[in-house]
Amino acid sequence: MTTTGPDAPRPSRDGDAAIVTTKVPARLDRLPWSGWHWMVVIGLGTVWILDGLEVTVVGNIASRLSEPGSGLPITDAQVTGMAAALYVAGACTGALVFGWLTDRYGRKKLFLVTLGVYLAATALTAVSFSVWWFFLFRFLTGFGIGGEYAAINSAIDELIPSRYRGRVDIVINGSFWLGAVGGALLSVLMLNTRFFPADIGWRLTFALGVVLGLVILLVRRHVPESPRWMFIHGRSEGAEELVREVERRVEEERGVTLPEPSEDITIRTRKSTGFVDIARTLFRKYPKRAVLGLALFIGQAFLYNAITFGFGSILVTFFGVPSGDTGYYFAVIAAGNFIGPLLLSRLFDTLGRRTMIAGTYVLSGALLFVTAWMFGRGWLNAATMTGCWCVVLFFASAGASSAYLTASEVFPMETRALAIAFFYAIGTAAGGISGPLIFAELTRSGVVGDTVLAFCIGASLMVVAGVVAAFLAVPAEQRPLEDVAEPLSARAAAKPH
């Protein structure tokens, strides 16, 4: 197809690559919110619901799996410790593998593949017959979810207009907790032996996760490739055709005529970006942003992976809550986690990234210190402990969501998916693998002081990350992605050849 009109990309040849001038980014950013954007959000953003469902279900079924008659000879600590760590290790590995593939082969191909991996692994977890099988498919489930993080965040930020990008990304990442609410309530039903035998109910929770994933897959088939990725990878005509169709749909839906796009960009097409270029970009050109990304991911990873995986055990060990009732408490906490990003997300686009990222991290860390102190003094019961966690995580959830937003918007487009994968993998490996292992040991001891120590470690890392953000966060609010970080292809086009 030959594109025409004033906004069509204007290519010229430079060896094997083409020099293309296009207004595709400006055309996407000027779009008003529409049904098309809702389709993108539902098709891509709902993956965090799956992750929330997975993490919460495992945390809540830990005590049941360790009981006689569950069908698995496994201990509570193995579920919240080893299985949790393997899930996170799989997510780190999947993020790196699929992150590289996403930048090379496109967002759409990979966000279909990663969801398929998740569905298969979750289904096979449901039929676990031994400990090694359970461990293996927890790892592979995490492998698929980690790939989702890289593929989905990069696609969302490249398809959503710049003035909405912050709030949309924060709410989507926060939707993890909608899945957590569902997982908590689902576990209450499935673990009730009046309805399901002890060796069947927990299997059905995983099976229902597969059903939800299949529904998401049906919607996701209609989400297009990122036009930004397309024109950089030599598919400028396809990008032009796609954006023109989106513009037509938006004008018909909203009954408006879109204004002329403001700016164009000139890039040199490329098939892929090497690891040397990526490393040079992250650590030589943007070292402060790299430090920021690591701090944010390590802080939130330890807090969430350590505490979330072990919360059910805390209720059972210290407050005598029956294992089948922990889901009620967790549902309340999860609801608070989602309300935080929902109510605070707009402020990331108005008050700004630096103020909100630093504020949510420091405040949640400080509140966690207070919670640890009250817990150590013996002033809390199951209900008040849950209330304290609601307050802490109201702010922490918005902060944790901003870590993914930051990694996906402050580096050049050619490195975006792998940058998300890198910071997720390194930060999560530091806090998410060691966190569950350490936390399982501390809570299993039944000593209040040990659990207080775990809380204080998580609080300290959150505060440190907030201080780093106060100095290094990038004011990316309402700015085009190409303005926040110039594409490597644009710099290549500007060099003499």
Side-chain angles (χ1 to χ4, degrees), residues 90-367:
C92 293
T93 307
L96 291 171
V97 171
F98 288 121
W100 179 76
L101 293 173
T102 298
D103 279 335
R104 184 177 181 88
Y105 296 108
R107 284 42 170 147
K108 184 176 178 68
K109 289 180 181 178
L110 270 299
F111 62 59
L112 293 175
V113 171
T114 53
L115 184 55
V117 171
Y118 162 81
L119 290 172
T122 301
L124 290 168
T125 301
V127 297
S128 295
F129 57 88
S130 67
V131 174
W132 71 264
W133 182 281
F134 185 80
F135 285 167
L136 172 62
F137 288 103
R138 291 311 296 159
F139 175 85
L140 292 177
T141 301
F143 190 75
I145 287 291
E148 288 275 283
Y149 280 131
I152 301 307
N153 267 308
S154 55
I156 288 172
D157 283 356
E158 290 165 13
L159 293 170
I160 298 298
S162 57
R163 63 187 177 279
Y164 303 114
R165 187 174 65 243
R167 70 194 71 177
V168 169
D169 212 311
I170 295 294
V171 172
I172 284 177
N173 280 281
S175 69
F176 170 99
W177 294 100
L178 286 178
V181 172
L185 296 178
L186 185 63
S187 66
V188 170
L189 173 64
M190 295 301 176
L191 295 182
N192 191 326
T193 53
R194 289 181 299 175
F195 300 113
F196 302 101
D199 62 339
I200 297 296
W202 65 267
R203 299 180 190 275
L204 293 178
T205 60
F206 289 111
L208 289 175
V210 175
V211 173
L212 178 59
L214 289 171
V215 173
I216 294 172
L217 184 62
L218 292 176
V219 178
R220 188 172 290 185
R221 291 171 54 247
H222 301 288
V223 178
E225 179 59 84
S226 164
R228 284 177 158 101
W229 182 89
M230 292 173 71
F231 72 72
I232 284 180
H233 287 79
R235 295 168 54 186
S236 55
E237 293 185 355
E240 166 71 17
E241 180 181 3
L242 173 57
V243 173
R244 188 167 58 247
E245 173 60 21
V246 173
E247 290 171 331
R248 183 191 64 77
R249 290 177 57 179
V250 171
E251 286 183 332
E252 289 182 357
E253 176 186 331
R254 299 296 297 268
V256 298
T257 299
L258 295 172
E260 288 297 315
S262 56
E263 299 178 359
D264 58 26
I265 183 173
T266 299
I267 59 96
R268 186 172 187 261
T269 62
R270 58 173 66 195
K271 292 183 178 180
S272 63
T273 302
F275 282 105
V276 174
D277 287 339
I278 293 172
R280 185 185 297 118
T281 300
L282 266 59
F283 298 106
R284 183 180 295 178
K285 183 171 178 61
Y286 297 112
K288 293 181 180 179
R289 298 183 183 189
V291 170
L292 172 66
L294 287 173
L296 296 181
F297 272 93
I298 290 173
Q300 66 86 28
F302 189 93
L303 179 72
Y304 275 97
N305 286 295
I307 308 305
T308 301
F309 275 117
F311 188 81
S313 295
I314 293 174
L315 293 176
V316 173
T317 302
F318 294 102
F319 301 119
V321 176
S323 62
D325 292 343
T326 59
Y328 292 118
Y329 295 89
F330 203 91
V332 175
I333 289 174
N337 268 278
F338 179 65
I339 293 172
L342 186 65
L343 297 182
L344 298 177
S345 61
R346 183 179 295 270
L347 299 179
F348 284 83
D349 284 329
T350 54
L351 290 182
R353 304 289 200 262
R354 179 169 296 176
T355 298
M356 291 303 299
I357 296 172
T360 52
Y361 268 79
V362 171
L363 186 55
S364 61
L367 291 170

Side-chain angles (χ1 to χ4, degrees), residues 299 302-303 361 364-366 368-369 453-467:
F302 189 93
L303 179 72
Y361 268 79
S364 61
L368 181 53
F369 275 123
L453 174 61
F455 289 171
C456 289
I457 293 172
S460 299
L461 292 173
M462 289 294 283
V463 171
V464 168
V467 172

Side-chain angles (χ1 to χ4, degrees), residues 418-441:
L418 194 55
I420 298 167
F422 173 79
F423 291 108
Y424 172 80
I426 299 299
T428 303
I433 296 178
S434 61
L437 292 173
I438 294 171
F439 199 75
E441 292 300 319

